[in-house]
Amino acid sequence: AMEAGPRDSRSPQFTDHYFTGEYPTRLLDRVVTRSVAKVQPGQVIYMSWCDAHGKVIDDGTITRLGEQSYRMTSAEPSLRWLHRNAYGMDVRLEDVSEQWGALALQGPLSRAVLNAAARDVARCGAGHDGRAVQRQPGDVPVIAHVRVPGSPRR
């Protein structure tokens, strides 16, 4: 069934992890199934992360916020597991689930709703996975993941 309008997908609660430091790219390339080193600042990718034996731990999105900063959004908390994999690396990991909100809008009206809520956020160009656009309408900072409807996912 296809919904006619946007829908709020906050349930279940998403978990957000914030990565900074000298080697967050190296850590993410160690644990996810795609090359994070190729991701440009502002780009959002969908991927899964695996243990050393290739078993899928979880899936979600990674947003490259800057040269050495990332946001990982997933269904399950992974901070302890990420810390174990970051051993010996200069990487700061933080669970920002309580500080950052996640709201997914889907459907043919989602871009219009997003644009009305956060002026011009939805007017950015987007690639296959999407772009992260940072705006601050009023007092609330917004990072929006925008994907062009109909564009293939990789």
Side-chain angles (χ1 to χ4, degrees), residues 51-74:
D51 66 14
H53 305 289
K55 179 183 175 193
V56 173
I57 302 292
D58 202 352
D59 67 338
T61 61
I62 290 179
T63 305
R64 188 166 195 171
L65 300 170
E67 285 301 319
Q68 297 297 331
S69 62
Y70 296 87
R71 175 188 182 195
M72 174 190 276
T73 302
S74 64

Side-chain angles (χ1 to χ4, degrees), residues 94-110:
E94 183 180 359
D95 183 337
V96 294
S97 303
E98 296 298 319
Q99 292 90 10
W100 297 22
L103 175 68
L105 298 174
Q106 300 173 352
L109 300 177
S110 58

Side-chain angles (χ1 to χ4, degrees), residues 101-153:
L103 175 68
L105 298 174
Q106 300 173 352
L109 300 177
S110 58
R111 186 175 285 261
V113 170
L114 181 61
N115 200 39
R119 298 174 293 265
D120 297 325
V121 168
R123 292 188 187 184
C124 72
H128 294 293
D129 287 300
R131 302 298 295 174
V133 181
Q134 297 185 46
R135 299 284 191 273
Q136 186 149 344
D139 295 330
V140 180
V142 174
I143 300 173
H145 298 183
V146 180
R147 190 175 77 81
V148 174
S151 65
R153 292 184 183 208

Side-chain angles (χ1 to χ4, degrees), residues 4-131:
R7 102 183 138 95
D8 173 352
S9 65
R10 287 181 288 186
S11 289
Q13 173 68 36
F14 292 116
T15 300
D16 292 303
H17 296 104
Y18 184 64
F19 297 71
T20 57
E22 190 173 344
Y23 297 112
T25 306
R26 183 190 294 178
L27 169 61
L28 289 168
D29 272 340
R30 175 184 285 181
V31 298
V32 303
T33 57
R34 296 182 61 183
S35 175
V36 175
K38 295 179 182 178
V39 177
Q40 299 299 311
Q43 187 176 358
V44 182
I45 61 169
Y46 170 80
M47 49 59 253
S48 55
W49 43 99
C50 301
D51 66 14
H53 305 289
K55 179 183 175 193
V56 173
I57 302 292
D58 202 352
D59 67 338
T61 61
I62 290 179
T63 305
R64 188 166 195 171
L65 300 170
E67 285 301 319
Q68 297 297 331
S69 62
Y70 296 87
R71 175 188 182 195
M72 174 190 276
T73 302
S74 64
E76 298 295 326
S78 302
L79 196 60
R80 184 176 175 184
W81 179 77
L82 289 165
H83 273 290
R84 280 199 317 256
N85 280 282
Y87 182 79
M89 295 183 195
D90 177 13
V91 178
R92 285 176 293 291
L93 302 166
E94 183 180 359
D95 183 337
V96 294
S97 303
E98 296 298 319
Q99 292 90 10
W100 297 22
L103 175 68
L105 298 174
Q106 300 173 352
L109 300 177
S110 58
R111 186 175 285 261
V113 170
L114 181 61
N115 200 39
R119 298 174 293 265
D120 297 325
V121 168
R123 292 188 187 184
C124 72
H128 294 293
D129 287 300
R131 302 298 295 174

